[in-house]
Amino acid sequence: MSQGINNGSALCRFCGSPLHHTFVDLGMSPPCESYLSQEQLNAMEPFYPLHVYVCDQCFLVQLEQYMSPEAIFCEYAYFSSYSDAWLQHAKYYTEMAVERFKLHGASQVVELASNDGYLLQYFVQKGIPVLGVEPAANVAISAIEKGVPTLVKFFGEELAREMVTEGKGADLLIGNNVLAQVPDLNDFVQGMKTFLKPGGVITMEFPHLMRLMEENQFDTIYHEHFSYFSFFSVEKIFAFHGLKIFDVEELSTHGGSLRIYACHGDDTSKVAGNRVDELRERELAAGVADLGLYSSFDEKVKKTKRLLLDFLINAKETGRSIAGYGAPGKGNTLLNYCGVRTDFIDYTVDRNPYKQGKYLPGTHIPIFHPDKVKETRPDYLLILPWNFKDEIIKQMSYIRDWGGQFVVPIPEAKVIG
Ligand SMILES: [Zn+2]
């Protein structure tokens, strides 16, 4: 297997064992949310390794932490509310949770990494008390403006104890796409255990490592994502902190996510359902507890890079123009790893006004308002947030008026007819 042996300093974020086995090495990359202004283009940019390891003891796939969480999250460019599909997902979740967990005007719903209030706003509409915890001040302000009370803090055991002392606690504790981004995983999960009321429920959504591997989603690896979870690893981590996973759903969001439902380990009112056993067995059969499963991924990723470059080179050789759609973190991993700059892609567009007028980190591809596509009529539109490709193809279907075509880079470069 490809074994980049590290310098021996890195230890597993969960179990503390030394990390020796490479999962994938994407080389050096800038922090993926560090969009640049024009004035910053001539300045030095920090690049950090995107070298992911798998622990040979607990099989947690993980990236070393190179930057402080404060540096990453204090001004976060990702506003959840800019995606219609994600808002719809949040709305459906709210309907389900209110009914399944019998939430009412005296319940307390808490979301960790509540972003701009994209989810909690739907609980507010139903008259259910909410609290958001969000470390990025700029997105938290947007939540507060929506009427979602939000604490601008990092969550962990210390904050959980502080809030419990003040008589707070959660009946429903939500964490969507946050677990991967927690540098001190044990402190965070212990904090959830502390903050959960007896009889309360935790639900968390995170990208499923098995799908990442199966569908070659290496571009979802970035410095902000420290851990990549199988059901196997997350169940082990929760059990260590006295939490029991009693249900799990496989969702299509973010290229394939898990939604886990957890409670206190001694809560006998919730019995683990079939889906938990079924998924656990399916992962074991796929080799989730065997290093062999992880060792082949690096080569698969290199092959995807060659396929994308083949497509781009061919398009340019035949005189076609290519623009990007979206400026997501995953696009930055992809473009930096593949070395794709304005030599291939003239520009990209994004609906998020915060990103318009800026440049992608590393590659310096300019970001415009989506109307730019109408003006320049590119032959190809490369969809970087491929997890929203259906929504984007619908929004941008007018490119077909001039014979434009959509391209997705993952799981391999493909033109959508
Ligand atoms: Zn480990």
Side-chain angles (χ1 to χ4, degrees), residues 11-17 19 55-60 62:
L11 300 176
C12 174
R13 170 164 295 121
F14 171 54
C15 78
S17 305
L19 297 172
C55 173
D56 60 13
Q57 295 302 306
C58 72
F59 299 99
L60 180 64
Q62 55 200 291

